[in-house]
Amino acid sequence: MAYPGNPQWPGAEVFSEEAIAPEVREHNAAILDRLTKAPDIWRFSLPDIRTARAAGRGSFPTCPPDPHAEIYMADGPGHDIPLRVLHPRTRKARGTYLHIHGGGWVMGTPSENDDRMRRLAENTGLVTVSVDYRLAPEHPYPAAADDCEAAALWLISSMGHDIPRQFLAIGGESAGAHLSAVTLLRLRDRHGLWPFHAANLVAGCYDLGGSPSVRNWGSDKLILSTRDVFKFTENFLRRDEDTRDPDVSPLYARLDRMPPALFSCGTRDLLIDDTLMMAQRWHAAGNGVELGIYPGGCHVFQGFPTAQAEESLAQMDAFLNAMIDEINR
């Protein structure tokens, strides 16, 4: 399926200081000040870091759990995988969005995204299904990818659920965008399947060896620093995996027969090179691409209540609605 139009690749002006809105500049300064003054998270154990994040002491604001969320169970590799499901409440369901949360492969839960998943469900008519995959380092690579692959296979099967499949999208943020891309590649290469009609990929880490923007970012704690990204990958990759392996770093994969994708990222996100390089390779392989590059946006800025976040979330809604409309023609 071809997505109409060509991506608008950003020019130098998008990366200029003048392009950053005052609200974004102030928001970034407040985050940088708060996180610079906070204790170094790597002084604590990962269970303690997860507890602090769940209690609202992490980098992102928390949201209350959606009272209408349901838990489904998918058959996984030797265990059941919990899936957090939100059905649209104000409109008829038109398909399903398989969501994979972020958190550097070591933290995060599906419920942390309930507000955005509820918004997406009501604005697009998609049932959202969020994968509660196993976390590193207790469960290092390939555990998370195995769980996401199994969840996708469960979703596209007709066994054990009534979740609509007339339109399927996949997406996630940060590590979740990475796992979304890996899942698409595994479905193609291991199973000969291309079931998803669209991908919504937000600030993904696609080169676990470290893209130039990751390596050159430095110590500024605007959500993530260079050290943070490598700490995450150290915990995720525990067996000396080759970071050029496409199953580890999907930037190095063949990318033919991928669905149309919206790639979103802020210019003050140290994963900006990952997004732009992956989008260019996705496009060069003959797949539809739309870009959402936002001046000054920090890592996964969509998790904050700002005008810029609203603009990006609205672009995601519009992209998914356009993909649904094209399937229904």
Side-chain angles (χ1 to χ4, degrees):
M1 179 179 66
Y3 184 62
N6 291 315
Q8 298 297 310
W9 304 108
E13 67 280 359
V14 175
F15 295 86
S16 68
E17 286 296 315
E18 293 75 16
I20 303 175
E23 181 198 34
V24 175
R25 200 183 303 275
E26 293 168 11
H27 179 64
N28 287 350
I31 292 173
L32 188 57
D33 180 67
R34 175 171 62 87
L35 295 183
T36 300
K37 292 176 180 176
D40 177 11
I41 66 168
W42 301 109
R43 291 169 43 198
F44 305 96
S45 69
L46 275 166
D48 287 341
I49 294 170
R50 294 168 189 152
T51 299
R53 178 181 171 115
R57 299 195 300 274
S59 299
F60 295 96
T62 58
C63 70
D66 192 295
H68 304 290
E70 301 175 63
I71 304 299
Y72 288 45
M73 303 300 290
D75 292 335
H79 65 283
D80 289 336
I81 304 166
L83 305 172
R84 190 172 181 85
V85 179
L86 274 62
H87 289 82
R89 295 183 56 77
T90 60
R91 61 190 298 177
K92 182 179 178 180
R94 302 199 294 164
T96 297
Y97 179 76
L98 184 65
H99 174 252
I100 305 176
H101 70 78
W105 308 280
V106 305
M107 65 182 82
T109 65
S111 64
E112 292 176 3
N113 301 276
D114 274 3
D115 54 353
R116 279 180 285 155
M117 291 302 100
R118 173 56 62 194
R119 174 204 168 106
L120 187 149
E122 303 308 330
N123 287 353
T124 66
L126 296 178
V127 177
T128 67
V129 178
S130 295
V131 185
D132 196 359
Y133 58 86
R134 290 170 293 170
L135 300 175
E138 297 90 341
H139 303 282
Y141 171 86
D146 289 347
D147 287 356
C148 294
E149 176 188 4
L153 290 170
W154 175 89
L155 176 61
I156 64 179
S157 76
S158 58
M159 303 295 291
H161 69 81
D162 58 355
I163 294 176
R165 291 173 292 147
Q166 65 268 32
F167 175 89
L168 293 175
I170 187 172
E173 309 79 32
S174 195
H178 163 270
L179 290 169
S180 296
V182 169
T183 299
L184 289 169
L185 291 165
R186 285 185 171 204
L187 291 175
R188 182 195 69 185
D189 296 340
R190 297 184 178 189
H191 306 282
L193 296 171
W194 302 268
F196 287 94
H197 303 100
N200 180 35
L201 304 174
V202 183
C205 184
Y206 306 115
D207 181 357
L208 273 62
S211 64
S213 59
V214 167
R215 291 180 174 275
N216 293 326
W217 176 267
S219 60
D220 280 358
K221 188 78 171 181
L222 189 56
I223 304 298
L224 294 178
S225 67
T226 295
R227 176 173 171 245
D228 291 328
V229 173
F230 284 114
K231 282 287 189 181
F232 287 142
T233 57
E234 285 171 14
N235 280 284
F236 182 52
L237 304 176
R238 309 286 284 186
R239 303 185 181 108
D240 296 321
E241 287 84 2
D242 179 4
T243 57
R244 295 289 182 104
D245 181 340
D247 196 57
V248 171
S249 296
L251 182 66
Y252 297 98
R254 289 186 303 105
L255 294 174
D256 56 291
R257 294 174 291 177
M258 291 291 101
L262 169 59
F263 290 88
S264 304
C265 195
T267 64
R268 291 290 290 161
D269 186 332
L270 79 173
L271 292 169
I272 183 66
D273 280 359
D274 292 70
T275 288
L276 291 175
M277 290 191 292
M278 191 65 158
Q280 288 172 331
R281 293 209 60 239
W282 204 274
H283 179 63
N287 309 303
V289 166
E290 182 175 332
L291 283 174
I293 305 300
Y294 290 84
C298 66
H299 183 61
V300 192
F301 64 88
Q302 297 87 353
F304 295 94
T306 66
Q308 187 178 66
E310 173 60 31
E311 182 182 356
S312 179
L313 293 171
Q315 183 183 14
M316 295 177 200
D317 293 341
F319 170 75
L320 291 170
N321 281 320
M323 293 293 92
I324 297 168
D325 292 343
E326 184 163 320
I327 286 294
N328 290 332
R329 282 180 186 153

